Amino acid sequence: MNKKLIVIAGLAVFLAAGSSVAYATHAWGKYHWNLSTEDTLANPLKLGDNLTTANWESSLAGASDDWNDSVLKNQIVGGTSPDCDPTLGQVEVCNDAYGENGWLGIAQIWVYRGRDGHIAQGVVKVNDTYFNWPAYNSSAWRNLVVCQEVGHTFGLDHQDEIFSNANLGTCMDYTNDPDGTILGQLDNQHPNLHDYEMMETIYAHVNSTSSGPGNGNGNGGGNGKKPTGVGADINLNDPSAWGQAIKQDGEGNDSLYRRDLGNGLVLITHVIWEESVN
Ligand SMILES: [Zn+2]
Ligand SMILES: [Zn+2]
């Protein structure tokens, strides 16, 4: 009797620890925009559309719509940065044939140094060099990657990083079967409820401490100081510019990088490699 209780208690502790680890690792450290839901209802976070094809714009429109079910509201605006140089206070989204550099898509955020983990600006890039290959040239692949990279710029990490695991039904899950039709499984083109819950957790403190309507500084809200030299001088497409690898995906490839830019900002790069299919 007592033994059984101990075993059950031990199991409960194990399960609790397991689930808290799973939740903790989903968030991208503590990175987030210093914007409450109220702020973004009044002034949605801008996703600058620098995309050059209707296919990509369709994927971005879908991702924007999906993520607007979260606590952080966004809007697509005309892009002003075809080269995808970052713009303070918003996310730039770009496609180009970036070459056979290995990556299918990247999400980069510039975070103010210090404990708050506030995001200054973000960039999403998708690589047409690979999306022109038959293996990736589908709306399902485009939707998965755009949804995932935009999710990263809001502060989310992956729910699962093993490509061959069964789909979890979220774009924050690596897969070789984005819409689930090859293996008859869940569709990974959109966020799921767990992503929305994570967003609530990540943004809880800005929502609970928000006093009055808005924080008065719109989407530029960081630590109140403008960063200088946002990194336009480094080639952000080149993995050698991303700094130190701090995490590996399920295939053992580096998937997350950190570089201190020395100007009060830290560059965080999340990458999905094209090896997934080949
Ligand atoms: Zn904060
Ligand atoms: Zn990712």
Side-chain angles (χ1 to χ4, degrees), residues 152-185:
H152 288 323
T153 67
F154 294 167
L156 288 175
D157 199 352
H158 308 115
Q159 291 195 31
D160 179 67
E161 296 193 328
I162 298 174
F163 289 93
S164 56
N165 281 354
N167 283 0
L168 296 174
T170 167
C171 64
M172 304 312 292
D173 172 28
Y174 280 179
T175 181
N176 294 321
D177 182 19
D179 59 7
T181 55
I182 298 172
L183 297 173
Q185 55 180 339

Side-chain angles (χ1 to χ4, degrees), residues 260-273:
D260 191 332
L261 296 172
N263 58 356
L265 291 171
V266 174
L267 174 69
I268 301 290
T269 300
H270 205 124
V271 56
I272 181 165
W273 300 104

Side-chain angles (χ1 to χ4, degrees), residues 57 102 164 255:
E57 290 195 319
S164 56
S255 58

Side-chain angles (χ1 to χ4, degrees), residues 32-34 116 118 205-206:
H32 56 277
W33 296 83
N34 189 22
D116 290 345
H118 289 165
H205 73 293
V206 274

